[in-house]
Amino acid sequence: MPKIDLDAIAQTNRTGYPAPYDAEVQGRLYRRLAPATGLTAFGVSHVVLKPGAWSSQRHWHVGEDEFLVMVAGEAVLVDDEGEHVLRPGDCAAFPMNDGNGHHVQNRSGEDCVFVVVGAGENKGGDYSDIDMRFTADDGYVHKDGRPYETRRVP
Amino acid sequence: MPKIDLDAIAQTNRTGYPAPYDAEVQGRLYRRLAPATGLTAFGVSHVVLKPGAWSSQRHWHVGEDEFLVMVAGEAVLVDDEGEHVLRPGDCAAFPMNDGNGHHVQNRSGEDCVFVVVGAGENKGGDYSDIDMRFTADDGYVHKDGRPYETRRVP
């Protein structure tokens, strides 16, 4: 059925981030909508951030575009240009390979909800604030290339 | 800047539909967000439907996935399975080539707003309720293949 029964899709806070970088995403609850609905041309995640949670470590993708639309609550988008409050209906676009690390933080006292779409080719990417990169084969490495022991969640 | 200044992006109700099929989309005001923000891996439209307006004629795509998230107001999703009310936060997915014609109608007395994402390969598609199809080269034709005089808006 085209209208999605969100409650029927498993919600998880799983992350592959190595400690201590996993701490900020413990309150990030997401659903992968594309595999559940038969979409193959792009990925879609429905994300709830509990108060204090982050969407991810601040990052950018070499080969993938991302687009976010805010659905409920309030969040703060952080990127190289500063901080921008996002409220329902606000949208943000992150073109591949722009080098502008971004993420969303819930600094409010209530849950916030957004939908994020991604597509392109996984060529890895970089984190702006920590000693970590991600690779095209879904590994995590230090800036100097030494691997972490954990891997990205597919 | 990743946060999108929606007011800075042109809004239009342009359509390529031949008469009389253009009547229902006169109150559909949309912004193309991808070209304005540097996204190339998928298309994104921000759509306002005035009271009474439709998102399109009921249709499906042979080679493109579509995904919709409701942002404000209330609309009715119509597809082969019936009618489904969409409220803010509701999502709908339309996998390519599923043959399930869909569209959204604003039957309320207020504007409604949604964001729709599309990607894949343009291989044309079909309209469920009218004597028209669309072709891979953005033409409109009758079910028997005779062309209409107008063409799809890119």
Side-chain angles (χ1 to χ4, degrees), chain A residues 65-81:
Chain A
D65 283 347
E66 288 185 296
F67 174 84
L68 179 152
V69 53
M70 202 71 193
V71 171
E74 183 175 304
V76 179
L77 168 66
V78 182
D79 66 27
D80 285 352
E81 299 176 19

Side-chain angles (χ1 to χ4, degrees), chain A:
Chain A
M1 186 175 77
K3 181 175 175 181
I4 300 173
D5 181 359
L6 291 169
D7 292 337
I9 299 175
Q11 192 181 47
T12 179
N13 74 338
R14 191 175 168 213
T15 180
Y17 283 165
Y21 306 131
D22 57 343
E24 291 88 352
V25 296
Q26 291 303 306
R28 175 193 62 178
L29 307 176
Y30 61 95
R31 296 178 168 95
R32 301 286 198 214
L33 302 191
T37 59
L39 300 179
T40 55
F42 47 85
V44 189
S45 289
H46 178 275
V47 184
V48 177
L49 292 185
K50 308 299 288 184
W54 293 4
S55 61
S56 65
Q57 296 288 338
R58 200 159 71 88
H59 73 286
W60 55 277
H61 295 262
V62 173
E64 291 167 285
D65 283 347
E66 288 185 296
F67 174 84
L68 179 152
V69 53
M70 202 71 193
V71 171
E74 183 175 304
V76 179
L77 168 66
V78 182
D79 66 27
D80 285 352
E81 299 176 19
E83 302 189 345
H84 314 274
V85 174
L86 298 180
R87 297 192 176 91
D90 284 340
C91 300
F94 313 109
M96 62 180 78
N97 210 32
D98 70 350
N100 183 0
H102 55 267
H103 71 168
V104 168
Q105 301 182 4
N106 183 357
R107 298 180 185 169
S108 80
E110 308 288 336
D111 290 3
C112 69
V113 183
F114 60 86
V115 168
V116 62
V117 175
E121 184 182 352
N122 180 10
K123 299 179 179 178
D126 205 355
Y127 295 94
S128 306
D129 304 320
I130 59 177
D131 178 24
M132 192 161 82
R133 291 186 288 114
F134 58 102
T135 62
D137 65 350
D138 286 327
Y140 292 118
V141 299
H142 294 262
K143 300 293 193 195
D144 65 9
R146 288 176 299 117
Y148 284 96
E149 291 189 356
T150 61
R151 299 181 61 77
R152 294 178 81 202
V153 171

Side-chain angles (χ1 to χ4, degrees), chain B residues 12 53 98:
Chain B
T12 180
D98 71 351

Side-chain angles (χ1 to χ4, degrees), chain B residues 61-139:
Chain B
H61 294 263
V62 173
E64 291 168 284
D65 283 348
E66 288 186 298
F67 173 84
L68 179 153
V69 54
M70 203 71 195
V71 170
E74 183 175 305
V76 179
L77 167 66
V78 182
D79 66 26
D80 285 351
E81 299 177 19
E83 302 189 345
H84 315 274
V85 174
L86 298 179
R87 298 194 177 89
D90 284 341
C91 299
F94 313 109
M96 63 180 77
N97 211 31
D98 71 351
N100 183 0
H102 55 267
H103 72 169
V104 167
Q105 302 182 4
N106 183 356
R107 298 180 186 170
S108 80
E110 308 289 338
D111 290 2
C112 70
V113 183
F114 60 86
V115 167
V116 62
V117 175
E121 184 183 352
N122 180 10
K123 299 178 180 178
D126 205 355
Y127 295 95
S128 306
D129 304 320
I130 60 177
D131 178 24
M132 192 161 83
R133 291 185 289 115
F134 58 102
T135 62
D137 64 351
D138 286 327

